[in-house]
Amino acid sequence: MSTQGRSMEVRQVDERDSSWEDPAPRFRVYLHGSGPDSTPGSTDTYDITGADVLQVIDWAQRRAGDTLTYAVALVRDDPAQELLNPGHGRGLVWLVGTDGNDTTDDGSPEREVQRRMLLRRQDPVGVPAPDRAPADLG
């Protein structure tokens, strides 16, 4: 299975190889006014804090409904990159989908990610009730 140019790989690791955690992640959600067969279109962008990734996915797909596509990224601020290139230290780690407005070639791994984004409009990610975002969020 290929995702964003790489083949899916699973390997066991030592959980002690990480040295820091972020207890308050910032997620970025992109909602694309996609067409029936392509993801490019208008984009509304939101940052979400105080939630885990399942709550963010639930919120994003409820907002997207069956007409928009969505993508979710983890926002990461890199102080070293900010020093090298001031104003450009913030980046994204794609968790679900990708930028729907990126131009992709037929058959490319990125095009496959966009195709799956389109399919999620009719077959959304299942999020169990305890992990859903509060219904009253805008």
Side-chain angles (χ1 to χ4, degrees):
M1 173 185 207
S2 180
T3 175
Q4 305 235 6
R6 298 180 301 271
S7 294
M8 185 172 169
E9 180 182 313
V10 178
R11 67 186 157 100
Q12 190 171 10
V13 298
D14 182 343
E15 76 278 2
R16 297 168 293 183
D17 73 346
S18 58
S19 59
W20 62 271
E21 296 178 10
D22 183 353
R26 173 181 302 273
F27 298 97
R28 184 154 296 169
V29 173
Y30 292 82
L31 298 174
H32 303 104
S34 304
D37 300 315
S38 64
T39 58
S42 62
T43 304
D44 287 324
T45 308
Y46 302 87
D47 275 6
I48 299 177
T49 57
D52 68 24
V53 70
L54 288 176
Q55 293 170 310
V56 173
I57 291 168
D58 181 59
W59 181 87
Q61 64 187 12
R62 280 194 283 119
R63 290 289 297 223
D66 61 0
T67 56
L68 304 176
T69 58
Y70 69 91
V72 177
L74 178 66
V75 178
R76 187 173 141 221
D77 291 321
D78 184 337
Q81 185 64 31
E82 181 65 27
L83 284 174
L84 290 173
N85 194 0
H88 298 279
R90 178 163 282 179
L92 302 173
V93 177
W94 291 110
L95 302 174
V96 178
T98 191
D99 186 341
N101 287 317
D102 277 353
T103 303
T104 58
D105 296 324
D106 285 339
S108 70
E110 293 82 10
R111 176 66 58 96
E112 172 59 19
V113 172
Q114 290 177 345
R115 184 188 70 78
R116 291 194 330 263
M117 290 168 64
L118 291 165
L119 292 173
R120 281 188 203 107
R121 293 187 293 197
Q122 279 67 50
D123 191 12
V125 174
V127 178
D131 291 312
R132 292 187 185 137
D136 59 348
L137 290 178

